[in-house]
Amino acid sequence: MKKLVLITLLLLTNIFTLMAQEDPYQWLEDVDGKKALEFVENQNKLSLDVLINQKDYQDIYDKSLAIINATDRIANPTISGNYIYNFWQDKEHERGIWRRTSKESYNSGNPTWETVIDIDALSKKDNVKWVFKGANGLYPKYNRFLINLSKGGGDAVVVKEFDATTKSFVNNGFSIDESKGGASYWDENTLIVASDFGPGTMTTSGYARQVKLWKRGTLLKDAQLIFEGETTDVSSGGYTLRDGDKKYLIVNRGPTFYTSKAFFWENEKLTEIDIPADANANGLLNNQLIISLKSDWNVNGTIYKQGSVISANFTSLLKGKKIIQKIYEPDAFSSVSEISSTKNFLLFNVMNNVKNELYTYIFKNEKWIKNRVAAPDFGTIGIGDTDEFSDAYFFTFQNFLTPTSLYAADASSNSVKIVKSLPSYFDSSKYKVEQFKATSKDGEKIPYFVISAKDIALNGSNPTLLSAYGGFEVSRQPVYSGVIGQAWLEKGGVFVLANIRGGGEFGPKWHQAGLKEKRQNIYNDFHAVAEDLIAKGITSSKHLGIQGGSNGGLLMGVAFTQRPDLYNAVVCQVPLLDMQRYNKLLAGASWMGEYGNPDVPAEWEYIKKYSPYQNLKKDMNYPEVFFMTSTRDDRVHPGHARKMAAKMIDMGYKIYYYENTEGGHGGSSTNAQRAKFNALYYAYLCMKLKN
């Protein structure tokens, strides 16, 4: 057997040598990276065994699974008509159940649940590893739903119509094959559908470019086409915009990731809604269209500033007249992170120096009146679901050391009451949270949080995990994690969260400071935080590890290829890494608004300076990177991780590699898979950083 394995490896080596005579890594350039994966699996058989056999692995796995499966977790509420729905996974429900209870029962804190769909049973019946991806209900009774189901956790979904009264799928009801797109009810017998309608109907980013109205009892292929975008667009879609009992059919065309054009469909006609292409429409309330501005907007001589939230009289706007009201204008340290609405009120979640404040607004006498909600201070607030038939809503509060609590609130009385809190999964009294600022290369001050033992010794020997994202206006805020507490803090680790540019912590300007040719700012920010941690004696390069996923995985790739001297461990999850070809893979073309187009020589000039795959060099002192991805990731192609790992192995570097066969871009579909994911990378970090 040993001789057979040796012969196989020699044959593989000879094949790869022959293929590499012109370009040593041309053999990696197959469409889906299968050759790279084959090479990694042949050369890297023992790396996962090394991690699984670490003394910390089983302990972390057991504790992580216990936390994830705990029956006293908060059941996140979704309000649909008279019921509150929730999707739940635990030890008995590996793939999960979609369930419901009455509003009164839910608010009691000890609800009685009724199972509506058992995803485990459905998976067994259909012989498909279904992953529940949400449901769109039929207004106002919500007795029918469009259920979104993914095969193995990818973004593409199958849509099936479901009767909530009989708790069964509708015979000969609406059904849409697997696609990236969306469907929602216009009325009981009509859907607004954006889907794969056949050859030529999808964009180069892999999303729908056609929007149709589909009548019950007809074939989907015969549905009425009401809009068609360009093939080079990111996507097109349609939805119902509601203002009480009034409704409007809206079509969106997305030419780029950060620009869109909205149209109102009525009487077989589309009317463009005249707002800035980079603005976001956040709903309609009392005939006021709520608009978030990503850049300054001059309306009749009045400048509404970048980051502001305004409203426009909707019926006037459709007639070409702009009647604008200013609702909110940020300062240098604040931004609006979430906007939602109840029947009569707007809800604004405002982030001030990476901590949240919650406000309600009501439109009276042609102006907006603001009230602050009595939510807890010094942490992260998340607006939960809202009731469109009343002013009730939910929100959560948490920070690094305070377990998440769910609150029920009423905007009309501005009242707040706690519904449920998570238990403490670790002794937070032992730890402290500090916020510092590092100085980046261009002088910008970059905030970051440090969670450490109160008696930390500043001698450079503390195992430290630094995490960040840095892109797509995504903010990273303090969250409570029992897994981080038990798997890292209680094992002597320090956790650091950096709010680098590219995110949305300080509004659109913070994001735009890292776009395209400015991308290196993001990476300089990250290096600066690492250097500041070392300068303060919190850690040293020997004990400093880093972690990030997706765009954060790209950040990891850049970090260790640009500054291998700073890091001794790298957890690189579902990453982009080959930035020369990223726009050719799956949804990659949609992100050219963020990174630029590598097929344009002038843009490739700045992309190639940081692209990790192209910047790998031989004979460097790189850390032993741990790549983690998913076969079923249909957003960021697993080929990125496969090729990078194969290239590093071929260059002689030791790496660790884990590819889950399902899970989509999240990496995992079940709680057991999530626990394994956690155990692998925390065992790796303990192995690399604690000694």
Side-chain angles (χ1 to χ4, degrees):
M1 179 62 73
K2 288 182 179 178
K3 184 180 287 186
L4 178 61
V5 171
L6 180 61
I7 291 170
T8 301
L9 287 175
L10 286 170
L11 285 172
L12 280 170
T13 303
N14 289 336
I15 290 169
F16 293 142
T17 301
L18 287 170
M19 296 177 72
Q21 286 178 352
E22 294 182 7
D23 177 350
Y25 297 104
Q26 188 61 41
W27 59 273
L28 291 174
E29 304 310 329
D30 61 311
V31 175
D32 52 13
K34 285 185 177 178
K35 290 177 184 175
L37 178 61
E38 192 176 297
F39 181 68
V40 171
E41 289 176 336
N42 275 291
Q43 301 292 321
N44 198 43
K45 288 176 188 265
L46 299 180
S47 71
L48 283 187
D49 291 340
V50 170
L51 298 181
I52 290 170
N53 289 326
Q54 289 295 306
K55 64 178 181 179
D56 294 292
Y57 174 85
Q58 194 61 47
D59 177 59
I60 295 170
Y61 177 84
D62 291 341
K63 289 178 177 178
S64 178
L65 187 59
I67 291 170
I68 297 170
N69 272 337
T71 57
D72 55 1
R73 288 174 288 141
I74 293 172
N76 293 318
T78 300
I79 306 170
S80 296
N82 294 323
Y83 289 101
I84 287 180
Y85 286 80
N86 166 258
F87 179 69
W88 184 263
Q89 290 176 287
D90 59 23
K91 186 177 180 180
E92 283 71 41
H93 307 98
E94 183 181 41
R95 300 208 164 264
I97 53 174
W98 190 46
R99 59 187 187 170
R100 68 186 177 192
T101 189
S102 69
K103 295 175 181 177
E104 294 75 18
S105 178
Y106 186 86
N107 286 323
S108 72
N110 188 28
T112 300
W113 293 100
E114 171 192 10
T115 298
V116 181
I117 303 178
D118 185 328
I119 304 299
D120 292 275
L122 184 66
S123 295
K124 186 176 181 180
K125 172 181 170 289
D126 295 344
N127 195 29
V128 176
K129 292 181 177 180
W130 289 122
V131 176
F132 184 76
K133 289 284 188 173
N136 300 319
L138 174 61
Y139 176 93
K141 294 182 179 180
Y142 293 94
N143 55 345
R144 292 279 179 98
F145 288 87
L146 300 174
I147 307 298
N148 299 304
L149 297 168
S150 164
K151 297 176 181 178
D155 288 348
V157 296
V158 172
V159 179
K160 297 183 178 184
E161 189 176 24
F162 187 82
D163 188 321
T165 304
T166 63
K167 293 189 289 186
S168 62
F169 288 100
V170 178
N171 287 330
N172 300 315
F174 290 118
S175 180
I176 303 172
D177 290 340
E178 186 179 38
S179 175
K180 288 185 179 182
S184 59
Y185 286 103
W186 171 245
D187 58 37
E188 183 177 359
N189 295 307
T190 314
L191 296 190
I192 308 168
V193 182
S195 186
D196 185 347
F197 298 110
T201 66
M202 303 293 279
T203 68
T204 52
S205 297
Y207 297 98
R209 72 182 185 94
Q210 292 184 342
V211 182
K212 295 186 178 185
L213 287 179
W214 184 19
K215 293 290 185 181
R216 188 181 298 279
T218 66
L219 297 177
L220 180 56
K221 70 179 182 64
D222 297 327
Q224 180 186 4
L225 178 67
I226 63 172
F227 182 80
E228 185 171 37
E230 299 296 326
T231 303
T232 53
D233 289 347
V234 170
S235 65
S236 291
Y239 63 96
T240 302
L241 181 63
R242 293 196 176 278
D243 187 10
D245 289 330
K246 295 179 181 178
K247 66 177 183 177
Y248 304 88
L249 200 163
I250 305 298
V251 170
N252 263 338
R253 176 195 169 204
T256 73
F257 201 86
Y258 298 113
T259 60
S260 64
K261 293 185 177 182
F263 304 87
F264 167 54
W265 168 267
E266 187 179 46
N267 298 325
E268 307 293 312
K269 179 183 175 184
L270 284 171
T271 302
E272 185 171 352
I273 300 172
D274 186 14
I275 63 174
D278 64 347
N280 290 337
N282 299 109
L284 186 63
L285 184 65
N286 294 329
N287 198 40
Q288 296 292 305
L289 183 67
I290 313 305
I291 304 167
S292 300
L293 298 179
K294 304 300 181 185
S295 56
D296 291 353
W297 191 24
N298 185 334
V299 181
N300 301 323
T302 300
I303 304 295
Y304 297 96
K305 294 183 179 179
Q306 179 188 53
S308 295
V309 182
I310 62 175
S311 70
N313 183 294
F314 190 57
T315 52
S316 296
L317 188 63
L318 293 177
K319 296 174 183 176
K321 185 178 181 182
K322 299 183 181 71
I323 303 174
I324 306 296
Q325 303 285 339
K326 184 172 71 174
I327 308 176
Y328 170 89
E329 184 176 299
D331 60 24
F333 301 102
S334 67
S335 64
V336 176
S337 58
E338 288 181 293
I339 299 174
S340 190
S341 65
T342 64
K343 182 179 180 181
N344 299 296
F345 288 82
L346 288 178
L347 304 174
F348 274 35
N349 192 3
V350 175
M351 188 157 41
N352 196 338
N353 200 24
V354 205
K355 297 180 257 317
N356 286 122
E357 301 164 355
L358 188 58
Y359 296 89
T360 65
Y361 289 83
I362 189 168
F363 194 64
K364 284 187 176 179
N365 301 320
E366 299 302 310
K367 65 178 181 179
W368 291 97
I369 300 170
K370 178 176 77 170
N371 275 300
R372 184 167 180 176
V373 177
D377 292 320
F378 305 110
T380 300
I381 294 170
I383 299 176
D385 210 19
T386 63
D387 191 340
E388 61 194 320
F389 301 111
S390 75
D391 291 317
Y393 65 99
F394 294 96
F395 70 88
T396 57
F397 176 84
Q398 61 185 314
N399 58 38
F400 290 116
L401 301 179
T402 303
T404 306
S405 292
L406 176 71
Y407 292 82
D410 191 293
S412 59
S413 60
N414 203 17
S415 60
V416 170
K417 69 173 183 178
I418 195 164
V419 176
K420 188 176 180 64
S421 293
L422 283 178
S424 295
Y425 290 115
F426 60 95
D427 184 0
S428 61
S429 67
K430 298 178 182 178
Y431 306 101
K432 63 182 178 180
V433 178
E434 298 174 284
Q435 189 179 30
F436 300 106
K437 289 189 177 182
T439 303
S440 195
K441 187 175 182 179
D442 63 353
E444 185 67 72
K445 301 296 183 181
I446 310 302
Y448 64 94
F449 293 98
V450 176
I451 303 88
S452 67
K454 288 180 177 178
D455 60 352
I456 184 174
L458 300 179
N459 57 12
S461 64
N462 300 291
T464 300
L465 174 59
L466 167 61
S467 182
Y469 187 77
F472 294 92
E473 208 172 347
V474 173
S475 301
R476 292 290 305 273
Q477 293 184 256
V479 295
Y480 183 83
S481 170
V483 174
I484 291 176
Q486 293 189 12
W488 191 243
L489 297 179
E490 288 188 343
K491 292 183 181 295
V494 176
F495 181 73
V496 181
L497 181 65
N499 301 114
I500 60 180
R501 281 174 287 187
E505 288 87 345
F506 302 108
K509 65 181 184 299
W510 198 247
H511 170 232
Q512 292 167 14
L515 282 179
K516 295 185 176 182
E517 73 277 5
K518 302 173 186 175
R519 198 98 200 144
Q520 188 59 42
N521 284 335
I522 293 169
Y523 309 129
N524 290 342
D525 293 354
F526 192 73
H527 303 325
V529 172
E531 290 172 332
D532 207 45
L533 290 168
I534 293 169
K536 283 181 167 60
I538 293 171
T539 193
S540 62
S541 58
K542 178 182 177 182
H543 298 287
L544 179 57
I546 56 178
Q547 175 271 332
S550 191
N551 172 76
L554 169 62
L555 172 65
M556 297 303 102
V558 176
F560 86 80
T561 52
Q562 288 190 351
R563 293 295 306 274
D565 58 305
L566 286 178
Y567 314 108
N568 195 38
V570 181
V571 181
C572 187
Q573 298 167 328
V574 290
L576 287 90
L577 294 166
D578 179 359
M579 298 304 289
Q580 188 171 31
R581 299 172 183 83
Y582 83 92
N583 59 327
K584 306 291 195 300
L585 297 171
L586 298 175
S590 67
W591 309 320
M592 290 191 290
E594 178 83 9
Y595 304 118
N597 184 350
D599 296 329
V600 175
E603 297 184 25
W604 173 240
E605 275 302 308
Y606 57 77
I607 297 171
K608 73 179 183 182
K609 293 177 182 177
Y610 68 79
S611 180
Y613 182 73
Q614 279 73 33
N615 280 284
L616 272 178
K617 299 179 179 67
K618 291 183 178 180
D619 304 318
M620 299 292 290
N621 191 26
Y622 292 138
E624 296 175 352
V625 181
F626 187 10
F627 296 102
M628 308 182 81
T629 188
S630 163
T631 308
R632 285 291 297 167
D633 189 344
D634 57 357
R635 193 181 312 174
V636 176
H637 201 292
H640 284 275
R642 293 169 178 175
K643 289 170 55 178
M644 189 78 164
K647 189 173 181 179
M648 290 189 74
I649 291 171
D650 195 61
M651 285 181 165
Y653 297 111
K654 181 180 177 182
I655 60 99
Y656 296 87
Y657 185 89
Y658 173 61
E659 181 170 321
N660 191 19
T661 55
E662 59 173 310
H665 194 53
S668 305
S669 295
T670 69
N671 288 350
Q673 290 173 15
R674 294 179 186 102
K676 181 177 181 179
F677 207 80
N678 291 336
L680 283 170
Y681 83 74
Y682 281 111
Y684 161 80
L685 291 168
C686 288
M687 177 184 72
K688 295 296 299 177
L689 303 179
K690 285 177 67 177
N691 298 324

